[in-house]
Amino acid sequence: MTLDLDTLRPYPDAGDPDSRAHDAADRLLLDESAEARQGVARREIAVIGDTFGALALACASDASDGVVRVHQDSLGGERALAANARSTGLEASVASLPLDPELVRDARVVLVRLPRSLEALRDIAGLIAAHAAPDVVVFAGGRIKHMSLGMNDVLREHFDTVDVSHARQKSRVLIAHGPHDGRDPEPSAARLRIGDTDVEVRAFGGVFAGAALDIGTRLLIDNLPDTIPGHADDPAVDLACGNGIVAATLALRHPGLRVYASDESAAAVASARATAAANGIADRMTVARDDALASLPAASASFIALNPPFHRGAAIDETIARHLFADAARVLRPGGELWTVWNSVLRYRPSLEKLVGPTRQIARTPKFTVTASTRR
């Protein structure tokens, strides 16, 4: 079976017939790895960072015996893979797994869409070197404008040789052989003083800000209310939690408070859980991988804190924030508050007013604004 990549969609209900779940870098990865994949069973192939499932499904269609193992950091990408697998009859031929040893154990061919973060690539390369077959070949590709020479250096930390493909359609592939010095991913760590609160932060590769406090989140934390509104059973919510620093700070400042943290990134969720454990608050800080707050019922919280991402890959995408605002409004009780920090040039206040309710400015710097929106 040869899969027609043009039949795949980036999300299940994509109505645009021109929308595609693959790009030139995906096609180059498949072409460069085609010879290495000949005669290799599905169970010996792993795919990491597949945007919408095109790489994994193409590999599955070209091989037999077992399943192709796949890891996607984005929950949206994982769901797109599942939808595309169903539409092509390949749902039994791929399996989504965490970024752990079972993902790459004894794999002979690994395809990787290069992450933008060198630390994320270091986690991936170390894991492959530690657990894949000794003769594994790694094909790591992406768009040239998002690649750097540092990526070659990171791969050389864990592989004997790193070759570079010819460029095609502004894409390129790095090809690594000879694994050595493998290691499982471990979070970086930092101890931070935030106001009068000491917080231990943990972060796996690729998580926004790493094990640190970015200036926007600091402005939000520095201006959070002294008293968190809510009913006795309501959790305070950290939406798009990243490394979990906002949730952890809330839990440490308010010892009786339960906190719910949510992110669609697998690396962020793992980081926030590690942050909770490091601060001894895992019993009061629940961390979920979710599409916004889909797992929470309507009108179930009175306080939500949010530092919304505004990039999808390399592109600015303001629809992400609007989706988060709308779901926060659904989850808030009437009179509940959404406290948001945002890059001032993005001018989110009209969206907050429309989707949540009356919005007041709490703090402002030359770059960031903090607002509180009250649910109608």
Side-chain angles (χ1 to χ4, degrees):
M1 172 184 174
T2 300
L3 182 68
D4 181 359
L5 296 182
D6 288 336
T7 64
L8 307 180
R9 293 292 176 263
Y11 45 93
D13 57 349
D16 180 0
D18 294 325
S19 63
R20 295 289 181 263
H22 65 91
D23 63 10
D26 290 329
R27 288 192 177 276
L28 185 59
L29 272 166
L30 291 169
D31 289 347
E32 288 291 330
S33 66
E35 183 176 351
R37 288 186 284 116
Q38 287 184 1
V40 174
R42 288 172 181 155
R43 67 174 183 275
E44 297 173 308
I45 300 173
V47 178
I48 301 174
D50 198 354
T51 310
F52 299 114
L55 294 174
L57 293 173
C59 290
S61 72
D62 290 341
S64 60
D65 193 8
V67 298
V68 173
R69 291 165 284 174
V70 193
H71 174 74
Q72 296 158 282
D73 183 66
S74 163
L75 180 61
E78 194 172 294
R79 289 175 173 174
L81 166 63
N84 283 317
R86 287 192 298 272
S87 71
T88 54
L90 289 167
E91 61 266 43
S93 302
V94 293
S96 292
L97 297 176
L99 190 68
D100 67 14
E102 292 310 311
L103 172 69
V104 295
R105 194 177 304 283
D106 299 325
R108 295 177 56 205
V109 177
V110 181
L111 274 61
V112 180
R113 275 303 298 252
L114 284 164
R116 293 177 65 83
S117 160
L118 293 182
E119 288 306 313
L121 180 58
R122 187 168 281 113
D123 282 353
I124 292 167
L127 184 72
I128 296 169
H131 301 286
D135 63 346
V136 66
V137 186
V138 179
F139 297 86
R143 305 291 281 171
I144 291 173
K145 64 183 178 180
H146 300 147
M147 296 174 67
S148 69
L149 291 176
M151 294 175 172
N152 304 51
D153 296 334
V154 168
L155 289 174
R156 290 191 183 101
E157 292 173 13
H158 298 287
F159 293 90
D160 291 332
T161 61
V162 178
D163 300 317
V164 183
S165 77
H166 293 295
R168 190 179 79 191
Q169 293 181 288
K170 301 180 181 179
S171 302
R172 197 182 293 278
V173 174
L174 308 179
I175 305 165
H177 306 255
H180 62 79
D181 295 323
R183 63 168 182 82
D184 290 350
E186 293 186 1
S188 56
R191 185 174 180 83
L192 305 177
R193 183 73 175 177
I194 306 173
D196 58 357
T197 308
D198 290 320
V199 184
E200 296 275 352
V201 183
R202 301 289 184 268
F204 287 92
V207 173
F208 174 68
L213 178 61
D214 67 282
I215 57 175
T217 302
R218 177 177 286 280
L219 185 66
L220 174 63
I221 291 176
D222 285 347
N223 287 279
L224 290 175
D226 293 331
T227 301
I228 303 299
H231 294 65
D233 294 331
D234 287 356
V237 176
D238 179 7
L239 175 55
C241 65
N243 60 22
I245 194 168
V246 173
T249 302
L250 284 168
L252 291 168
R253 286 181 177 176
H254 306 277
L257 187 67
R258 291 187 305 108
V259 181
Y260 181 93
S262 171
D263 205 296
E264 67 103 36
S265 159
V269 167
S271 300
R273 287 174 178 162
T275 294
N279 288 280
I281 53 175
D283 60 330
R284 293 190 292 117
M285 180 172 156
T286 300
V287 184
R289 186 180 183 215
D290 204 356
D291 176 12
L293 298 172
S295 296
L296 292 183
S300 62
S302 297
F303 181 86
I304 299 175
L306 169 63
N307 182 357
F310 58 90
H311 283 95
R312 195 182 300 275
I316 292 178
D317 186 347
E318 296 181 29
T319 65
I320 301 171
R322 288 195 290 271
H323 172 60
L324 296 174
F325 298 160
D327 209 40
R330 179 188 64 83
V331 169
L332 282 171
R333 297 179 186 273
E337 293 184 339
L338 171 65
W339 285 59
T340 310
V341 62
W342 37 279
N343 192 307
S344 299
V345 300
L346 296 175
R347 301 183 183 277
Y348 282 153
R349 187 162 180 168
S351 292
L352 288 164
E353 295 267 3
K354 178 180 179 181
L355 295 170
V356 183
T359 298
R360 63 190 188 277
Q361 180 175 300
I362 302 297
R364 187 180 178 91
T365 67
K367 190 171 183 180
F368 292 99
T369 300
V370 176
T371 54
S373 305
T374 303
R375 180 72 168 99
R376 293 184 184 88

